[in-house]
Structure formats: C-alpha cells, structure tokens
Amino acid sequence: TILVEQKGLCDICGVKVMLTGRGSTRGVPDHKHSNPPMPRGILCSACNISLGGFKDNPEVLRKAAEYLEKFSLTTAEDV
C-alpha cells in the first residue's frame, strides 16, 4: 500500500501518520482533483488542509515558502 511505501510517514512533513483516529497525525489519502481522481500519497491532515488552502498550486506554494523565508529569524540549520 501507499502508506507502507511511505514507511508510515506523511509524504510532505514526515510526521508518523495512522489511518485511524483524529487530529493532525491522522493519515489522509491525497488525490489530484481530476476526473477520475488520481491518488498521490498519504498526508497528515495538517498538510492535506494546507494543500487545499493553496488550491494545489505549486507556484503559490513556492511564493508562500519565499515569504516565510523572507521573514524567518532562523535557518534550517537552527531547527
């Protein structure tokens, strides 16, 4: 299954997910909004909601990342 291939982790942020339960660590099957829908991977609910908020638009997501980096007080090495 997809979740086994992903080693039980969200395909974006890497948090451990489960297909049962509630909250941000609940695994959600992500899909491309097409006809028919095309499966992409399993995401935590937080990442899935975030993609939806950005309308699955990679360019807008890149701009959001640039925005966060512009105002970031730490670097990736500090985390």
Side-chain angles (χ1 to χ4, degrees):
T1 67
I2 294 173
L3 191 57
V4 171
E5 291 172 12
Q6 293 177 208
K7 298 180 172 75
L9 306 175
C10 170
D11 214 22
I12 292 178
C13 73
V15 70
K16 182 153 180 63
V17 295
M18 296 190 292
L19 295 179
T20 59
R22 302 176 70 164
S24 63
T25 59
R26 179 173 175 265
V28 180
D30 181 47
H31 63 277
K32 182 176 180 182
H33 295 267
S34 59
N35 193 8
M38 304 275 297
R40 294 190 286 207
I42 304 294
L43 305 178
C44 69
S45 60
C47 286
N48 189 55
I49 289 168
S50 296
L51 283 184
F54 287 109
K55 309 283 191 246
D56 291 344
N57 185 323
E59 185 57 34
V60 175
L61 283 165
R62 278 190 278 281
K63 288 181 180 181
E66 290 169 5
Y67 173 83
L68 289 174
E69 289 167 349
K70 177 180 172 182
F71 293 101
S72 175
L73 298 177
T74 60
T75 63
E77 292 82 29
D78 295 332
V79 176

